[in-house]
């Protein structure tokens, strides 16, 4: 018996003897482990097959005197058949093969493209099988593999939250076939007043960029100097608001600093939701995403952005936190996610590393809490009906057990 299987059997027998789980649950666990092992083996077979096919293609190129092409194919093979833990996918959609490519190159490039598309289809089918076997984390991993092999697999792109977008300003560009972007970005860049994600100022209407770069600012419909705006926004009631796909940052530090914080939070959100896919998507929810990916009628998420308040000083932060809860009057905190108003509170620190650590810690609580809020509210209503309680009691995440786990992740 394989050592991992032996450990599972021993653990199940131990738990069954002490009444923690039944024999049926042990059998179910063994079936899940068997399915996982089978799917991982098939994944390995697909990647080995692709590796072999690409080696053949590289050899053909070499025999035809195309040494540079042979080296390119070998390099691509090494990259896509040993996927990275946290891959980054190309943003730009691959251009169709045109007359600009020499015929000899067109042959091997078309073959390379065909091999990648075919093996990506195999990996995508495995991802669907993993989901049906109630292995959401493995399904998500296989979706990542699919996109490493074929970054333009439209269904896999949809599952990770991307959609095809063609910029109206670049439609006539022969070297532009479109981009993979989030529905949020597509909405920002579309419409009568399209916006651009400026390196310093975040999302701005394209028509405002030149004036912002010259030091002007728009506040309540009136243009003024950046110095004048900063004086007004020093009061937190007039704070800058930086909107991203998942967050709304309110800050009285500066627009530029708010943008930096917002982008850190977006990168962290992507990392957390990717590495803890099974927490954010139950098999049923992930299956829904798979089905929506193949549906013609899909809509962007309507979830509200998570709100974050970022103050310019500790004094401001302490004052606000003590107003929220007098119990914090004697406590020293460096940041807080306040569940009653679903908002995270931070302040600027001189130590950037310590500042980031606090932001990521509290953001973890905020992201995990709000990701499960709707399901917990539904469960609370059902609990009230079952127990015939007079009112709905809030279902706090990990309120009675396993709170250590949330703190550990944070």
């Amino acid at each position: 018996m394989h050592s991992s299987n032996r450990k599972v059997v021993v653990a199940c027998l131990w738990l069954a003897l002490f009444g923690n789980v039944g024999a049926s649950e042990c059998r179910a666990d063994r079936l899940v482990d068997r399915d996982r092992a089978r799917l991982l083996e098939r994944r390995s077979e697909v990647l080995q097959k692709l590796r072999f096919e690409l080696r053949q293609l590289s050899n053909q190129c070499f025999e035809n005197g195309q040494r540079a092409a042979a080296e390119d194919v070998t390099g691509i093979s090494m990259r896509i058949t040993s996927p990275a833990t946290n891959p980054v996918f190309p943003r730009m959609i691959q251009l169709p093969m045109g007359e600009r490519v020499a015929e000899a190159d067109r042959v091997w490039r078309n073959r390379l493209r065909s091999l990648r598309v075919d093996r990506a289809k195999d990996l995508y089918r495995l991802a669907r099988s993993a989901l049906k076997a109630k292995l959401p984390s493995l399904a998500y991993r296989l979706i990542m593999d699919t996109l490493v092999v074929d970054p333009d697999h439209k269904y896999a792109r949809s599952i990770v939250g991307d959609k095809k977008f063609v910029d109206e300003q670049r439609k006539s560009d022969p070297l532009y076939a479109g981009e993979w972007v989030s529905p949020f970005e597509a909405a920002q860049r579309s419409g009568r007043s399209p916006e651009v994600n400026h390196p310093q100022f975040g999302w701005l209407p394209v028509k405002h960029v030149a004036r912002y770069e010259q030091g002007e600012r728009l506040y309540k419909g009136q243009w003024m100097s950046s110095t004048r705006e900063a004086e007004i926004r020093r009061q937190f009631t007039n704070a800058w608001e930086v909107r991203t796909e998942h967050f709304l940052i309110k800050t009285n530090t500066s627009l530029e600093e708010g943008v930096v914080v917002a982008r850190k939070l977006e990168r962290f959100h992507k990392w957390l939701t990717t590495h803890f896919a099974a927490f954010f998507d139950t098999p049923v929810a992930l299956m829904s995403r798979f089905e929506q990916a193949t549906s013609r009628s899909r809509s962007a998420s309507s979830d509200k952005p998570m709100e974050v308040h970022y103050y310019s000083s500790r004094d401001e932060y302490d004052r606000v936190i003590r107003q929220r809860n007098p119990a914090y009057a004697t406590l020293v905190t460096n940041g807080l996610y306040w569940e009653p108003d679903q908002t995270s509170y931070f302040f600027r620190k001189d130590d950037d590393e310590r500042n980031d650590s606090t932001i990521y810690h509290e953001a973890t609580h905020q992201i995990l809490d709000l990701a499960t809020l709707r399901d917990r509210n539904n469960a609370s209503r059902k609990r009230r009906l079952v127990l015939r309680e007079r009112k709905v009691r809030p279902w706090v995440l990990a309120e009675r057990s396993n709170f250590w786990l949330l703190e550990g992740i944070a």
Side-chain angles (χ1 to χ4, degrees):
M1 184 183 294
H2 192 277
S3 61
S4 62
N5 291 336
R6 184 164 55 247
K7 290 177 181 177
V8 170
V9 173
V10 170
C12 287
L13 287 173
W14 176 270
L15 293 171
L17 284 171
F18 285 89
N20 290 321
V21 298
S24 61
E25 293 177 31
C26 288
R27 284 195 296 271
D29 287 343
R30 288 200 299 273
L31 289 174
V32 168
D33 285 344
R34 185 197 65 186
D35 288 340
R36 181 185 291 106
R38 176 177 55 83
L39 288 164
L40 285 172
E41 183 177 356
R42 289 175 60 188
R43 169 187 181 268
S44 179
E45 289 171 356
V46 171
L47 294 175
Q48 286 177 5
K49 182 177 182 179
L50 178 59
R51 194 177 296 120
F52 173 75
E53 292 169 327
L54 293 177
R55 188 183 306 120
Q56 284 186 315
L57 178 58
S58 178
N59 290 339
Q60 289 172 8
C61 290
F62 188 81
E63 290 169 2
N64 293 335
Q66 298 171 293
R67 294 193 175 188
E71 291 177 0
D72 285 347
V73 173
T74 299
I76 291 170
S77 175
M78 293 176 62
R79 187 173 72 252
I80 70 176
T81 59
S82 301
T85 304
N86 192 21
V88 178
F89 308 119
R91 179 184 180 89
M92 295 299 177
I93 294 172
Q94 182 173 307
L95 289 165
M97 202 70 64
E99 296 300 324
R100 57 191 172 77
V101 179
E103 185 177 353
D105 283 337
R106 204 179 307 146
V107 172
W108 73 264
R109 287 183 184 278
N110 278 329
R111 177 59 178 161
L112 173 64
R113 179 65 184 156
S114 177
L115 290 174
R116 295 182 69 166
V117 168
D118 288 345
R119 295 308 142 246
K121 289 178 180 177
D122 293 339
L123 291 166
Y124 181 73
R125 282 192 287 268
L126 283 181
R128 292 188 68 92
S129 297
L131 194 58
K132 290 177 182 177
K134 298 183 179 180
L135 294 166
S137 289
L138 179 56
Y140 203 84
R141 176 182 176 184
L142 286 161
I143 288 297
M144 297 293 106
D145 291 341
T146 301
L147 290 174
V148 168
V149 174
D150 178 14
D152 291 335
H153 192 290
K154 62 180 182 179
Y155 298 147
R157 278 286 192 172
S158 180
I159 289 167
V160 299
D162 291 338
K163 66 178 294 184
K164 184 177 180 178
F165 174 77
V166 178
D167 193 328
E168 291 292 329
Q169 306 299 317
R170 300 188 61 185
K171 288 182 81 170
S172 60
D173 184 350
L175 299 179
Y176 178 76
E179 308 165 54
W180 293 108
V181 303
S182 69
F184 172 81
E185 180 175 340
Q188 295 296 105
R189 294 173 63 183
S190 304
R192 294 184 178 179
S193 181
E195 298 190 4
V196 61
N197 195 4
H198 192 277
Q200 288 177 275
F201 308 124
W203 287 105
L204 279 179
V206 174
K207 59 187 179 183
H208 292 170
V209 170
R211 298 186 73 166
Y212 265 72
E213 290 179 342
Q214 292 168 7
E216 294 183 82
R217 298 291 182 269
L218 185 64
Y219 178 73
K220 292 187 176 181
Q222 180 181 353
W223 285 99
M224 60 184 66
S225 69
S226 58
T227 304
R228 173 62 182 147
E229 187 204 32
E231 292 175 2
I232 295 171
R233 294 195 183 274
R234 192 172 292 118
Q235 295 294 324
F236 201 83
T237 51
N238 303 322
W240 283 279
E241 295 189 0
V242 179
R243 178 75 162 89
T244 63
E245 184 174 2
H246 300 101
F247 295 91
L248 172 62
I249 314 299
K250 295 184 179 181
T251 183
N252 61 347
T253 56
S254 70
L255 174 60
E256 294 86 340
E257 194 164 349
V259 169
V260 169
V261 171
R263 287 176 176 161
K264 287 179 179 179
L265 284 168
E266 277 297 333
R267 286 196 296 271
F268 178 69
H269 182 276
K270 185 170 185 177
W271 181 90
L272 189 68
T273 52
T274 299
H275 286 74
F276 292 85
F279 180 92
F280 294 94
D281 281 311
T282 63
V284 172
L286 196 53
M287 178 62 81
S288 176
R289 284 170 61 182
F290 270 75
E291 297 306 324
Q292 288 176 10
T294 58
S295 170
R296 292 185 179 181
S297 57
R298 297 191 303 273
S299 59
S301 172
S302 59
D303 291 342
K304 292 194 307 180
M306 289 173 277
E307 191 163 324
V308 173
H309 291 189
Y310 187 71
Y311 297 93
S312 60
S313 70
R314 172 180 278 282
D315 288 342
E316 285 181 288
Y317 164 83
D318 284 339
R319 185 166 58 251
V320 171
I321 296 304
R322 287 162 186 167
Q323 288 172 353
R324 293 286 180 277
N325 189 343
Y328 283 89
T330 57
L331 297 177
V332 177
T333 61
N334 291 316
L336 178 71
Y337 169 57
W338 186 236
E339 193 172 313
D341 64 10
Q342 301 171 11
T343 301
S344 286
Y345 297 89
F346 308 109
F347 62 93
R348 176 201 281 154
K349 303 183 186 73
D350 294 332
D351 184 342
D352 287 341
E353 185 175 341
R354 188 166 62 94
N355 203 30
D356 290 352
S357 177
T358 302
I359 289 174
Y360 296 144
H361 181 103
E362 299 303 330
T364 302
H365 289 300
Q366 184 174 26
I367 295 168
L368 297 183
D369 179 53
L370 297 183
T372 59
L373 182 61
R374 185 179 301 139
D375 289 334
R376 286 184 285 119
N377 286 342
N378 290 337
S380 294
R381 286 190 285 271
K382 290 179 181 178
R383 178 175 62 182
R384 173 182 171 272
L385 293 174
V386 171
L387 300 180
R388 298 181 179 180
E389 297 175 331
R390 295 182 61 184
K391 62 180 182 178
V392 176
R393 286 185 289 120
W395 195 310
V396 178
L397 188 64
E399 180 180 30
R400 299 194 177 187
S401 63
N402 297 328
F403 186 75
W404 62 271
L405 186 59
L406 296 182
E407 286 298 328
I409 294 172

